[in-house]
Amino acid sequence: MSKNFIALTCAISCSFLWGTAFIAQDTGMDYIGPWTFSAARLTLGFFALLPFFFIFEFNKIKKERLNYKIILGYMILLGFFLASGNIFQQISLLYTDVANSAVFTVLYVVIVPVLAYFLFSKKIHKSVWPSVLMCLMGGLLLSELDNLRVRMGDSLVVIGAIFWALHIVYVSKFLKIFNFPITIAAFQCLIASIFSAVPAFSFEFVSLKLLSLEATELIYAGVLSSGIAFLLQIIALQHLSPAPAAI
């Protein structure tokens, strides 16, 4: 089985988990706020991947001679991008519908190749642009064609798409110097959860009782969409460049 086939399978599986998680994200704010939901799902994503980190990568990392300052810097950066993309998307669901939130997130397939080119002089294959156009057309057909005005929630999703694009580009860059996908997936979730938890405890009421009322949604969005899906994305990025992975 070729590495490219495995990477494509991971990317498609990842997109399925992210797509289905929009429902959990929308219904998971009946009792808790968006910051609390984001912090909780990312924390669950971290704990879901932590056993795999110790089983498969912990001992390997100990044997490597690594520059931990650079690794920590990348981890904090990825955590920030992940937290920002998450929270803009999550808050948007308070002001727009699930379909529009998913559709406007698709804009990151346009932003990724542009960022990859201007930030890292990454050559973009000519086949990428027709593919990007098809993605945008498909997204438009899934939106409310009878109501094309851009609402506040839609604008927030577009801002979030920029952070998702930055995230995928920098994950691809990070893998070149630190090829440990489980570690990256786990600890970016931990750092992102900290970025989200500070505003959650500052501006929202957080309690275990309220969190338990959203347990099903948080487990799906946390374990599958945050933990497993981001791991699949990073595995895909080991063998795919950012633009095809985004598509």
Side-chain angles (χ1 to χ4, degrees), residues 111-168:
I111 303 170
V112 165
V114 173
L115 288 177
Y117 178 78
F118 285 104
L119 290 178
F120 302 114
S121 300
K122 185 80 174 177
K123 291 184 178 180
I124 308 301
H125 193 273
K126 59 184 179 181
S127 65
V128 166
W129 300 112
S131 303
V132 165
L133 182 61
M134 289 176 67
C135 284
L136 293 177
M137 289 176 62
L140 181 64
L141 292 173
L142 289 171
S143 66
E144 296 181 48
L145 292 175
D146 58 337
N147 182 18
L148 290 178
R149 65 188 179 89
V150 178
R151 291 164 287 185
M152 176 183 173
D154 301 329
S155 302
L156 292 175
V157 182
V158 173
I159 297 171
I162 297 172
F163 287 105
W164 289 127
L166 285 166
H167 178 262
I168 194 172

Side-chain angles (χ1 to χ4, degrees), residues 8-29:
L8 286 170
T9 302
C10 288
I12 292 168
S13 301
C14 169
S15 63
F16 171 80
L17 291 173
W18 281 344
T20 53
F22 274 99
I23 304 300
Q25 288 178 246
D26 189 38
T27 59
M29 291 190 291

Side-chain angles (χ1 to χ4, degrees), residues 149-207:
R149 65 188 179 89
V150 178
R151 291 164 287 185
M152 176 183 173
D154 301 329
S155 302
L156 292 175
V157 182
V158 173
I159 297 171
I162 297 172
F163 287 105
W164 289 127
L166 285 166
H167 178 262
I168 194 172
V169 169
Y170 276 90
V171 166
S172 181
K173 185 73 173 176
F174 190 26
L175 282 168
K176 299 292 191 298
I177 61 171
F178 188 74
N179 193 17
F180 294 96
I182 300 174
T183 306
I184 296 173
F187 287 93
Q188 70 170 4
C189 282
L190 174 63
I191 294 169
S193 70
I194 295 170
F195 277 120
S196 300
V198 173
F201 282 102
S202 301
F203 305 120
E204 298 173 356
F205 179 69
V206 182
S207 76

Side-chain angles (χ1 to χ4, degrees), residues 23-112:
I23 304 300
Q25 288 178 246
D26 189 38
T27 59
M29 291 190 291
D30 291 337
Y31 303 100
I32 59 177
W35 289 102
T36 303
F37 187 92
S38 293
R41 72 176 287 192
L42 290 163
T43 301
L44 286 172
F46 167 69
F47 282 110
L49 293 174
L50 193 60
F52 299 100
F53 161 71
F54 283 112
I55 293 169
F56 295 108
E57 292 186 354
F58 179 66
N59 289 327
K60 293 180 182 178
I61 291 172
K62 287 198 300 183
K63 296 175 183 178
E64 295 281 335
R65 298 182 64 181
L66 301 167
N67 188 327
Y68 287 101
K69 287 185 178 179
I70 293 177
I71 291 168
L72 180 60
Y74 265 101
M75 283 292 191
I76 292 173
L77 193 63
L78 293 180
F80 174 73
F81 291 150
L82 179 58
S84 301
N86 251 304
I87 194 57
F88 276 108
Q89 189 180 78
Q90 195 64 39
I91 294 176
S92 76
L93 291 170
L94 297 173
Y95 304 102
T96 190
D97 55 76
V98 175
N100 273 32
S101 183
V103 166
F104 280 97
T105 300
V106 172
L107 286 175
Y108 94 121
V109 301
V110 181
I111 303 170
V112 165

